[in-house]
Amino acid sequence: MELAYYSDYAVRLVNSEEPKRGKDALTSVEAVRDLFGTNKEAARRATDADVTRFRSVRARLRAVFEAADTGDETLAVNLLNSLLLEFPVSPQISGHNFRDDDGRPLWHMHLADHPSNATAGYAAIAAMGLAFHLTEYGVDRLGLCEAAPCRNAYLDTSTNRSRRYCSDRCATRANVAAYRARKRLEADRSETTGHAADSAQRASASGER
């Protein structure tokens, strides 16, 4: 498993809440366990106490994305470093029983789960994955969706650093909204121009009389 995979842990946790919409999916231990995806062993360690702890880590991870989104690279790095210090990782070389065509293990770096509690394990993996993405691709690759009121976090992996939305759905919604706004502006301008022309014609007719 590549280290870049772990950055998705951060995105999943941050997007479990939509502050602008007043939505929060992180309300139970089951919701916490769902965030682990296929890592069922780590998910089983979650308890009710992890709900509050996960929310605290979520707020700190969102702050990293917010700093990056506003262009404050130093703040984003400092916030992420504080998470890395508090939740250290345990890197290991793993093969996960996968073999290449010659029967040799497909060795890769793996971040071992933290043994103390579910929150510490998840936070360590999420922070390290995000740190890897940031140092590999740049702080500007961490973004918040521009389709109001979404503001979901995303990781920009486009070749030309052009991503602005968290999903195709938000991109479509934003494009439709922009198109409608342009049409309204064109209609307003046309109406204003029409009124001006009518006034000019009336003034001309009045002068001729």
Side-chain angles (χ1 to χ4, degrees), residues 13 15 19 33 63 66 102 121 128-129 140 143 159 169 182 186:
L13 178 53
N15 291 346
R33 289 171 179 160
E66 289 174 342
D102 296 325
M128 186 61 195
D140 59 340
T159 56
R169 179 182 180 184
R182 287 195 302 271
E186 290 172 2

Side-chain angles (χ1 to χ4, degrees), residues 114-126:
H114 200 289
S116 60
N117 59 67
T119 302
Y122 194 101
I125 290 173

Side-chain angles (χ1 to χ4, degrees), residues 195-209:
H195 288 326
D198 289 343
S199 297
Q201 288 177 354
R202 286 196 296 270
S204 175
S206 177
E208 291 175 356
R209 290 195 298 270

Side-chain angles (χ1 to χ4, degrees), residues 10-12 40 50 61 68 80 83 93 108 121 130 149 185:
V11 174
R12 285 203 300 270
K40 302 302 182 183
D50 284 299
L61 286 171
L80 191 50
L83 284 164
I93 299 174
H108 57 271
L130 199 56
L185 181 60

Side-chain angles (χ1 to χ4, degrees), residues 29 32-33 36 42-50 54 117-119:
V29 66
V32 168
R33 289 171 179 160
F36 284 91
R44 282 194 289 270
R45 290 202 302 267
T47 66
D48 289 333
D50 284 299
F54 260 66
N117 59 67
T119 302

Side-chain angles (χ1 to χ4, degrees), residues 41-61:
E41 182 178 351
R44 282 194 289 270
R45 290 202 302 267
T47 66
D48 289 333
D50 284 299
V51 176
T52 300
R53 291 196 289 253
F54 260 66
R55 286 178 172 177
S56 176
V57 172
R58 179 178 66 187
R60 295 171 67 182
L61 286 171

